[in-house]
Amino acid sequence: MNEFKTASMDGTTKMITIVIVLFLIIFPILSFSFDPPKPIISITSMILMYGVIIISYCFVPKRIALSDNQVLIKNLYGSVIINLSDIQSFGKIEKTGLNLRTFGVGGLFGYFGYFNGGDVWYVTNTHKKVKIILNSGKVYMISPESPDDFLTHLKQRMEE
């Protein structure tokens, strides 16, 4: 089994993450200084906003692995297993382009969830995307640190 490190965040993703995290941390703290004080609102906003940070971070893929017959994408919520026999095509996507987030996280620690309708993304770096299209038409986007290395290994496994 080959393990591939998840790509580090690109500059835009880092900037979005820094801005959003600072806002989500600072705003609830500042809300305690509102006049008149509303501690219930302040505490609730703190719980919600800190929860957003934690929930979003848990979507980051902790492991991308390639076995003899499967691709594994694992984050803290669970695993996605793609059988190599189900893969129709795959390739590197270098351009970022315009993508519509249907449901998911759009920039905080990366891009995770459903984009462009039904594409499933586990992307931390928009410049290192690998697109996997299944026979069913379902699309997965991942971002290993070395997309070329991942694609070379995937191609070898598909030819076996």
Side-chain angles (χ1 to χ4, degrees):
M1 181 174 288
N2 295 86
E3 300 254 350
F4 299 90
K5 184 179 178 213
T6 301
S8 57
M9 289 186 279
D10 59 85
T12 304
T13 306
K14 281 182 188 175
M15 188 57 68
I16 291 170
T17 299
I18 290 168
V19 169
I20 292 175
V21 167
L22 285 175
F23 172 78
L24 292 174
I25 289 174
I26 293 171
F27 179 77
I29 294 170
L30 291 177
S31 69
F32 283 101
S33 65
F34 290 167
D35 191 34
K38 304 232 189 260
I40 297 297
I41 292 173
S42 298
I43 291 169
T44 302
S45 70
M46 184 176 279
I47 291 169
L48 289 173
M49 292 187 184
Y50 290 7
V52 166
I53 295 170
I54 293 167
I55 290 167
S56 296
Y57 182 74
C58 290
F59 278 109
V60 176
K62 306 302 180 209
R63 183 174 179 211
I64 299 173
L66 183 59
S67 71
D68 289 337
N69 56 358
Q70 295 176 327
V71 175
L72 170 76
I73 307 162
K74 182 166 179 45
N75 62 21
L76 292 178
Y77 293 116
S79 300
V80 173
I81 296 172
I82 303 169
N83 291 317
L84 297 185
S85 60
D86 294 338
I87 296 176
Q88 178 185 45
S89 63
F90 53 90
K92 186 175 176 182
I93 306 294
E94 294 184 357
K95 58 183 180 175
T96 54
L98 180 63
N99 295 289
L100 177 65
R101 179 182 56 197
T102 312
F103 183 77
V105 178
L108 183 58
F109 302 111
Y111 303 85
F112 316 106
Y114 293 97
F115 287 77
N116 305 323
D119 299 359
V120 181
W121 284 33
Y122 295 97
V123 175
T124 52
N125 188 318
T126 57
H127 303 292
K128 296 183 177 183
K129 294 185 294 193
V130 171
K131 184 176 190 175
I132 300 172
I133 302 173
L134 304 184
N135 294 325
S136 65
K138 188 168 189 161
V139 175
Y140 286 94
M141 296 284 269
I142 59 174
S143 58
E145 185 62 47
S146 176
D148 294 325
D149 189 35
F150 176 81
L151 290 170
T152 300
H153 281 84
L154 181 57
K155 185 177 180 182
Q156 288 173 351
R157 298 284 164 79
M158 294 289 289
E159 292 173 350
E160 292 176 357

